[in-house]
Amino acid sequence: MLLITCPHCGARPEIEFRYGGEAHVARPADPATLDDAAWAEFLYMRSNPKGWHAERWRHEHGCGRFFNAIRHTVSDRIVVTYRAGEARPDLATIPGLDTP
Amino acid sequence: MKFSLLSLARQALRGHADWPAQWRSPDPKPAYDAIILGAGGHGLATAYYLAREHGMRNIAVVEKGWLGGGNTGRNTTIIRSNYLWEESEAIYEHAVKLWETLSQELNYNVMYSPRGVMMLAHTIHDVQVFKRHVHANRLAGIDNEWLTAEQAKEFCPPLNIAPGMRYPILGAALQRRGGTARHDAVAWGYARGADRLGVDIIQNCEVTGIRRGAAGAITGIETTRGFIATPKLGVVAAGHTSVVMAMAGVRMPLESYPLQALVSEPIKPAMPCVVMSNTIHAYISQSDKGELVIGAGTDVYTSYSQTGALHVTTHTLDAICELFPDFRRVRMLRNWGGDRRRHARPLAHHRQDPGSRPLRQLRLGHRRLQGDAGLGSCLRGDDRTRRPASDRRPLLPRPVPDRSADRRGRRGGRRALRPPCC
Amino acid sequence: MADALEGRAPIVWPDRLRVAALPPQARFVFRGDAEAAARAGDAFGATLPMTPCRAAADDARAALWLGPDEWLLLAPPGTEDGTARDIAAALADLPHALACVSDRHAALTVSGPRAETLLAAGCALDLDPRAFPQGMCTRSLLAKAEIVLWRHQPASFRLEVRRSFAAYVWDFLAEAAREHASA
Amino acid sequence: MTGAFRTTTGGRIDRARPLSFRFDGRAFTGCAGDTLASALLANGVHLAGRSFKYHRPRGILAAGAEEPNALVGIDRGPGRYAPNLRATQVEIHDGLVAESQNRTPSLRFDIAALADFAAPLIPAGFYYKTFMQPAGWWAKLYEPRIRAAAGLGRAPRGADPDRYTQRYAHCETLVVGAGPAGIAAARAAAARGDRVILCDEQAEPGGSLLAETRARIDGLCAQDWLAAALAELAAEPRVTILPRTTAFGYFAQNFVALAERVTDHLAVPDPNLPRERLWQVRAREVVLATGAIERPLVFPENDRPGIMLADSARTYLARYGVKPGCRALVLAAHDDAYGAALDLAAAGMEIALIVDPRPAADGELPRRAMAAGLPVRMSATVVGTRGRLRVHEAHVGTIGADGGVRGVDVVSCDTLLMSGGWTPSVHLHSQARGKLAFRADLQAFVPGATPQACRSVGACAGEFGLQAALGPATRVEDDPVREGGFAGALPHDRPRARAFVDFQNDVTAKDLTLALREGFRSIEHVKRYTTNGMATDQGKTSNINALAIVAAASGRAIPEVGLTSFRQPYTPVTFGAFAGTSRGELFDPVRTTPIHGWAVAQGAIFEDVGQWKRAHHFPRPGEDMHAAVRRECAAVRARAGIFDASTLGKIEVVGRDAAEFLERLYVNSWKKLEPGRCRYGILLNEAGFVIDDGVIGRLAPDRFHVTTTTGGAARVLSMMEDYVQTEWPDLQIWLTSTTEQWAVIAVQGPKAREILAPLTEGIDLSRDAFAHMAVREGRVAGVPARLFRVSFTGELGFEVNVPAGQGRAVWEAIWEQARRHDAVAYGTETMHVLRAEKGYIIVGQETDGTVVPDDLGLGWAIGKGKRDFVGKRSLSRPDIAAPGRKQLVGLLSADPGHVLDEGAQIVAMRDPPPGTPALGHVTSSYWSATLGRSIALALVADGRARHGQTLFAPMPGGAVPVAVTGPVFHDPEGRSLDG
Ligand SMILES: Cc1cc2nc3c(=O)[nH]c(=O)nc-3n(C[C@H](O)[C@H](O)[C@H](O)COP(=O)(O)OP(=O)(O)OC[C@H]3O[C@@H](n4cnc5c(N)ncnc54)[C@H](O)[C@@H]3O)c2cc1C
Ligand SMILES: NC(=O)c1ccc[n+]([C@@H]2O[C@H](COP(=O)([O-])OP(=O)(O)OC[C@H]3O[C@@H](n4cnc5c(N)ncnc54)[C@H](O)[C@@H]3O)[C@@H](O)[C@H]2O)c1
Ligand SMILES: Cc1cc2nc3c(=O)[nH]c(=O)nc-3n(C[C@H](O)[C@H](O)[C@H](O)COP(=O)(O)O)c2cc1C
Ligand SMILES: [Zn+2]
């Protein structure tokens, strides 16, 4: 069970959270203007990297907030969490990202 | 050397000194007519059928680790074809038919054991869903029958059907021809078969890049053992498919989630069949060696960790103990994970909306153990229905245009790409 | 008023543990920003804490921080209408939301020297007083049910539970408490 | 006397407390403090099990968790049989009943041992090579036989009545292993004021100190020092010492799982105590002090009863006061075997010979042994043994300079002790994703870097010796340094002889080389082909030897070959411990409505909907389900019925932008909905498929009361929060779940108004004042209520929302009125039938994740001119706009008495050949009391264009012809809605 740091409540057990998929996949402002391919891209394409992954979590059984985390998908190590709406941190500025 | 009781006896007299290697460990040649990436069940079966059905000889399977060490070596070995959607029914039914004679075909005992797969219904909604399966399967000519709770108990005596259960068992859908097989033997049997047909299986050879020519067509792969030229590449990398496809600049509608399995210590035969419960998330069978083989739920987040979380294991085992209270004192021996890939878009969506292009890339490799034989043997045909290639047309995939690129107006490069299509 | 835990006699292992249902209570969920919360606190009669996972309480009223814009307010039973009126009046010009949820929950206390240990049978949080001091409160899970957990006294936790989960939470605690029956 | 082999003094057992137990029906006596293994050895019993494949007789090899041979079943009565327990870990208690396994009919005489004679025919992987002909015989004939022969212990029968619990724990320092290294670490942590958990799998903490005979620590003998150290730790309030507790799994972020065996060692367990307890510990730092496992030696016929690990034999003597035999041959590839020989000799055992394959041994212990006059032969090895049920002689040969073995001397002995040195227990370190480094001097892997806050100390770190374990602050005397280690197979000259590597799975050195010959080069392949390391001991004694053999045979270095993965659990863990209290009623919360008790009292039959129990129907005496539902249906249409709809999800949406929010989320238009009105809302996912529906009422300009399906409540709220928080944070709205705040009582039927009128205050129920799809607030039965005028039956209907605490009282008040009108209480089945008669859909029944609103004929609900809402863009994708989609229709079977099967497929022809694609399927099917015939809803390709056509539902007994109709069977004009 991972220990996930909610930006509001601090470190909490994984079972309190719900995973929310890849982060920073914004809903297009005006979907009607997208062609079918671009819409399909929004719906279904995810980067699914083997490495550092920006992803959403919701502290469902806690403060209820959605937030983002950067986690390594091999070691499951989370190096940083940040509030929804905040820009994805520049990975280069986060120490320790060279090792999973 | 043909495997048989006789050859075993003969070898016994010689202290088993003369058994040949079941497959070679060749160094990669500079070039192949086609390369399959991933020596799991799907990759090896693909190579085998390419060689056997379609006479291709100059082909290789490249594998980053050891053959059969991916999901093929870590699944719960269930084989069934009682799927709901016609597309799935067709491919899995084709596969089940292949399974029935696969040991003889490969001269390798894959221990296919059609002992019956039973899916439990706990709610009225489950009953509706599974009855729909039963009807759909029968229409497709696939065996699947409805059992009452009492009949389910008769088929599987340790099953708890007490009406006072938290989620009582209201009935079950039974596919008698479903069952299990020995996961390792499947990989090894196909590997040995493919090797004998001249396929080079190159292990410890990780693909690190996909090289493409000026026109965008594939020219070969970069690997940890050097560059290997090929005009055609089949990607069958299961959970790693999107990672590999990214090397060719192709995005996939896939996400990889850890899926756990576990085995108990071996005990004398106690589980006569396979039992699955979707509602309370657990499935179980017993291997020939005696371990209870149990499948857990998927972990909630994408990962390649090949382990799973403890709370997933606890939930799986509390469900198993509800269904089989006799097994409460049995002990877990080993728990591991695989990286199952999951469509970011479920088949149900795909089906109702078959036009989404990216899936065209994906002929193979996103199915299950039970599909190994089936998918490996039928690469041709419309990818939507994935119908078996009964006509035995040459298998090697046609170039599949990436029409999503077209629409985006990025013709050029992508369009000419002959992407990993099998 | 019928409570979901009505009729459940307390579980008492003297000098060790006590689990007891609490009587009905007026409850609200208040949502709004800091300014609204400050004003709501004045109207309600207990400060709405701005520190995450903290509660402010006096004998009659309590306000529990549940999220950055969410508080659970507890007040004596029967004060629903008055409280709603007071808050609405005080915040007429400030965006906020107030929903009465008096009946949404049932409440119980777990107290005594073994309280932390008992809760640890199903709650994954660190309940040591250094990690979970008096006045701390949060939503969390107890086994398979969501709870609001509040250390309202040094050796006593208050659990607010969705009413349909109350029987489960009680039965779970009763089962887990069994091992404490023997000293 | 508790056994002929019991010493008169010494050890930690209590000779004054004899305990009787049974093994395979024979009565024995042991002492308090004995394990089953030590008690059997004290009684001269070595034969304790049969091997997995060849059913060879096997004795007790070890003294701890690594034991591969002595597996037993323990029977504590009905439902309480546990197979495959290690006799070395089972503590005896008075009345213990143990039995041996995997033998027929008895341990001494096992028919299946015939397999041993067939051994040449059944090497590693033989089953992949045979049993293929004739096709089909595998499953029918061979497989059942193989299964019966395999499988070790018998399966438990009957539900286990014991209880299991779980506990989460948090600490600054978790120490695994309470040997000297672990105790030292725990003391240091306690001194810092940490919360410390110190666990050890054994019955007593102490580890190797419990059997330490020589060394003095701070001037005390080891046991006295141990007692003092433990007393000191026990006095620390922040230290928790957990004996009988195995750390079995090490997960990310220092999350460690422990299994505590609470009552198995007790003759009469306290019924309030669980049998086992699963601990889930989150630790800031983990100290692994798990010690090391002694390594067997691989030589021909090394598996007979009486052949033991040398230090285990010494442990039996020192800790349990048991001599393992009378005359021992010691095969010493490591100095510790000399230490064992010395101790056993001192206790009066005859040491026939110490055989050392090394050319020289100049360590302290060999020197002492030689000084004590023990016979030693260097450069020698054992090339064979004899003895069916117990070793009685060993054949000793000399290793020549070329590595060959020459000359055989027969040495008689009843015990053969061996040691290849120690294998550090790096299991948990490796599970923690720590790296491993190979140390050639030890021929062992030791812990390397770890990504977690975790360190290994003592023997598990490859640091042997008490001084290393205890640290410089503690003074240790007389603890001679022991070095070296041997891995692999000893040389011999008998190509046909079997030298066992994995005792439990009967894997021999030859099996390993066979696998290599057959192309299985990766150690993972070798493992899977030979099954080495896959037995219940997971290769604790065998993996390193197998690895060395594979390395030597393939000309690779050991680290090049690499290890197989260590996985949890370290030792097997009971399923029940994982399940914990989560069983029966506590398996999953049973959620009930405030009205549940009333329904129970009325004899309702319930169904599970998610976690909820819902009343399915209310049978009267003598009625079956069908009769009850018919009666309920008829009553609602003719008069009225009341229905508990409390499980419906409810969400209060409040804020300036509430209407805008719903506008963006649901397909419908909301902005123009007036306060006091409600509307049927449909919710899609972004892919365009229907995922939920429900009535939404506008209570005020900035306040909506949203209802969802029962199953969808949490999902919809979560989805709403997602959009509010992450997509549209600009919107000023807040969401509050009020599902449980309200009890919901649906009053439906022509008499609904009359039933409610006497109870309602402050709301004008008249047709004009309170129109269909309106909502009002007032009082019902004296309780503040939100009253919705809605209908899911097609009849005049109201849904009364009252605070849940009053739900039952209001229900009973309404019921009083209802009875006056001869109305009924009805359950979910009647609700389903009535709505189906009206063609109303149920999400999850008419939809399956692939259905868009138009498929359901609900295109009308989509707000006209809305530019966007969740899922809208998907509705214009070509495949969703394409013709041929499945559409909701009604079906009437030609035989009105025939109720179609839900899920039945629909095709165009009467006798579809297998493989015919279906046109669709039946989603709902009922007997309609209203129509006096069966009805069904179905999704059928191009269904709306097929009205009037005859299609077929293929059934086992023949296809059922059905006529396609519209989905509304009853009152299509909606006249009844107004009562
Ligand atoms: C726990 C679990 C239980 C399951 N249970 C069942 C079941 O009961 N029934 C069932 O039918 N299915 C089951 N499955 C699914 C089934 O195991 C898989 O779908 C199937 O084995 C996939 O085979 P594959 O050949 O496609 O993939 P894999 O066997 O995973 O093979 C892919 C190979 O590609 C290699 N690879 C990846 N990247 C590279 C690279 N860059 N270069 C070279 N090689 C690379 C990998 O090392 C791997 O060997 C289960 C899966 C899991 C994880
Ligand atoms: N048996 C050996 O480990 C071994 C070998 C050589 C020397 N020695 C001597 O032992 C001392 C080293 O002591 P040490 O403390 O490192 O080892 P130790 O063997 O004394 O203690 C290790 C303890 O950890 C327990 N343990 C192992 N795995 C466990 C798990 N997963 N969960 C719970 N408990 C577990 C063991 O049962 C044992 O009690 C030195 O004095 C040395 O001379 C021991
Ligand atoms: C059907 C099946 C049965 C297995 N039986 C055993 C077993 O009896 N003993 C064992 O140690 N492992 C068993 N395993 C697990 C493997 O040892 C191994 O954990 C799994 O293949 C994953 O590989 P990994 O743990 O090396 O990553 C089994 C695996 C499968 C798929
Ligand atoms: Zn939080």
Side-chain angles (χ1 to χ4, degrees), chain D residues 218-267:
Chain D
D218 282 341
L220 300 173
C221 83
Q223 281 80 26
D224 290 348
W225 181 88
L226 173 64
L230 289 174
E232 186 191 305
L233 278 174
E236 291 280 349
R238 290 170 75 78
V239 173
T240 308
I241 301 177
L242 298 174
R244 300 187 181 88
T245 304
T246 305
F248 69 83
Y250 196 140
F251 302 86
Q253 290 149 310
N254 274 359
F255 194 61
V256 184
L258 322 177
E260 180 185 6
R261 292 165 296 282
V262 184
T263 59
D264 268 1
H265 63 289
L266 302 171

Side-chain angles (χ1 to χ4, degrees), chain B residues 329-369:
Chain B
R329 261 176 143 83
V330 174
R331 302 192 296 172
M332 177 170 95
L333 173 60
R334 193 171 168 101
N335 179 197
W336 65 92
D339 36 49
R340 256 305 271 296
R341 69 195 223 195
R342 210 158 69 180
H343 283 209
R345 152 198 173 81
L347 178 64
H349 290 195
H350 178 39
R351 182 167 199 277
Q352 284 299 302
D353 179 18
S356 146
R357 285 308 99 208
L359 287 179
R360 292 247 171 202
Q361 311 285 350
L362 235 189
R363 286 287 190 77
L364 260 198
H366 67 309
R367 288 300 166 175
R368 310 180 144 212
L369 171 70

Side-chain angles (χ1 to χ4, degrees), chain D residues 799-818:
Chain D
E799 284 183 4
V800 183
N801 288 251
V802 290
Q806 325 270 16
R808 170 120 183 222
V810 175
W811 171 278
E812 286 180 19
I814 295 176
W815 176 239
E816 261 324 295
Q817 293 299 325

Side-chain angles (χ1 to χ4, degrees), chain B residues 66 73-77 182-183 263 287 289 291 293 306 333-334 336-337, chain D residues 524 527-528 533-535 538 565 567:
Chain B
W66 36 285
R74 50 189 76 238
N75 61 67
T76 47
T77 78
R182 187 74 202 164
H183 55 294
V263 287
S287 83
K289 256 180 76 199
E291 319 96 66
V293 179
Q306 294 207 334
L333 173 60
R334 193 171 168 101
W336 65 92
Chain D
E524 296 283 3
K527 161 186 150 174
R528 286 162 174 79
M534 294 180 80
Q538 291 283 291
S565 335
R567 293 278 188 187

Side-chain angles (χ1 to χ4, degrees), chain C residues 95-108:
Chain C
H96 73 281
L98 188 72
C100 174
V101 293
S102 300
D103 292 48
R104 193 175 75 167
H105 299 184
L108 53 104

Side-chain angles (χ1 to χ4, degrees), chain A residues 36-86:
Chain A
D36 289 333
W39 182 246
E41 171 94 12
F42 161 70
L43 285 185
Y44 301 122
M45 294 303 191
R46 297 296 178 263
S47 58
N48 197 29
K50 188 173 181 176
W52 296 106
H53 187 225
E55 61 196 18
R56 293 152 21 96
W57 289 85
R58 180 177 182 224
H59 195 188
E60 177 142 295
H61 303 291
C63 65
R65 295 300 95 184
F66 279 86
F67 62 92
N68 297 324
I70 297 201
R71 179 179 59 91
H72 197 282
T73 57
V74 177
S75 67
D76 291 336
R77 189 159 79 94
I78 295 174
V79 282
V80 62
T81 53
Y82 51 102
R83 297 179 187 209
E86 286 178 11

Side-chain angles (χ1 to χ4, degrees), chain A residues 6-10 12 16-17 59 62-65 67, chain C residues 53 65-66 68:
Chain A
C6 167
H8 304 279
C9 308
R12 293 298 194 94
E16 287 185 353
F17 298 84
H59 195 188
C63 65
R65 295 300 95 184
F67 62 92
Chain C
C53 305
W65 184 100
L66 291 186

